[in-house]
Amino acid sequence: MKRAIFPGSFDPLTLGHYDIIKRGITLFDEIIVAIGVNSDKKYMFSLEERKTFIEIAFKDETGVYVVTYKGLNVDFCKEVNAEFILRGLRNPADFEFEKAIAHTNRSLSEIETVFLLTSAGTSYIASSIVRDVIRNNGDYTKLVPDSVRVK
Ligand code: ADP
């Protein structure tokens, strides 16, 4: 059983995240989408909303679970018996950042980080951009799955 966690804030889920999870399903038996809880961070969407957006987007997909967690990714991996961390790469900045974290995680544990390169059509999408479009009343619906809607 190959189980990976896909950690992030998902504030909100974007078509970029959606693409990585969809492609990840072909590599792993189970993907646990892990929403990190950081009490110092201000979010646009509540934890419940962020969780629901992902659950609805993957309701027809067996093998995708959504949970919230606190603390280190490697500790959470051990808790849920996951051997892999799935991450997406969009650009060189992502690579440099992710490289340092993956090396750190490797020094703390046996957990392997598996990277998927962003798809050409979603490489420019980031949650921060989506939030900016929403704040300025733009059409954010082209950037997110149908389950993500502002009330
Ligand atoms: P964090 O909260 O860790 O900054 P996010 O919640 O935005 O990150 O993203 C979680 C994961 O999804 C990260 O691995 C990030 O690189 C990846 N990701 C985000 N947007 C995209 C995209 N457009 N294409 C590919 N991967 C993406």
Side-chain angles (χ1 to χ4, degrees):
M1 158 77 79
K2 282 192 170 27
R3 183 181 288 135
I5 68 160
F6 182 50
S9 307
F10 306 103
D11 187 31
L13 176 74
T14 69
L15 288 178
H17 299 132
Y18 184 84
D19 169 68
I20 296 291
I21 297 167
K22 273 282 195 190
R23 289 160 59 208
I25 293 169
T26 66
L27 303 173
F28 300 103
D29 301 305
E30 278 185 13
I31 293 185
I32 300 179
V33 182
I35 309 177
V37 178
N38 179 347
S39 46
D40 295 337
K41 237 174 156 179
K42 278 210 164 162
Y43 298 101
M44 173 173 270
F45 294 94
S46 71
L47 195 52
E48 212 37 61
E49 285 173 313
R50 285 181 277 147
K51 192 162 180 268
T52 305
F53 291 156
I54 306 169
E55 281 168 350
I56 296 175
F58 293 98
K59 65 179 185 333
D60 297 328
E61 208 68 67
T62 54
V64 177
Y65 302 90
V66 190
V67 300
T68 61
Y69 77 107
K70 273 186 191 156
L72 292 178
N73 286 342
V74 289
D75 290 339
F76 182 65
C77 281
K78 283 177 201 147
E79 205 180 304
V80 297
N81 253 321
E83 289 170 286
F84 303 95
I85 297 175
L86 175 64
R87 298 290 285 176
L89 291 178
R90 283 165 288 194
N91 50 44
D94 271 358
F95 173 77
E96 289 300 335
F97 179 72
E98 295 290 345
K99 185 177 93 165
I101 294 176
H103 281 152
T104 307
N105 287 339
R106 249 336 248 170
S107 73
L108 296 175
S109 71
E110 301 277 287
I111 312 260
E112 283 287 3
T113 305
V114 175
F115 298 102
L116 285 182
L117 195 60
T118 183
S119 292
T122 54
S123 64
Y124 64 97
I125 302 176
S127 290
S128 57
I129 293 177
V130 173
R131 292 196 297 276
D132 212 40
V133 172
I134 292 172
R135 267 188 217 105
N136 292 288
N137 301 313
D139 182 8
Y140 65 94
T141 60
K142 293 178 175 64
L143 308 171
V144 297
D146 290 344
S147 62
V148 179
R149 287 298 175 263
V150 180
K151 278 187 217 136

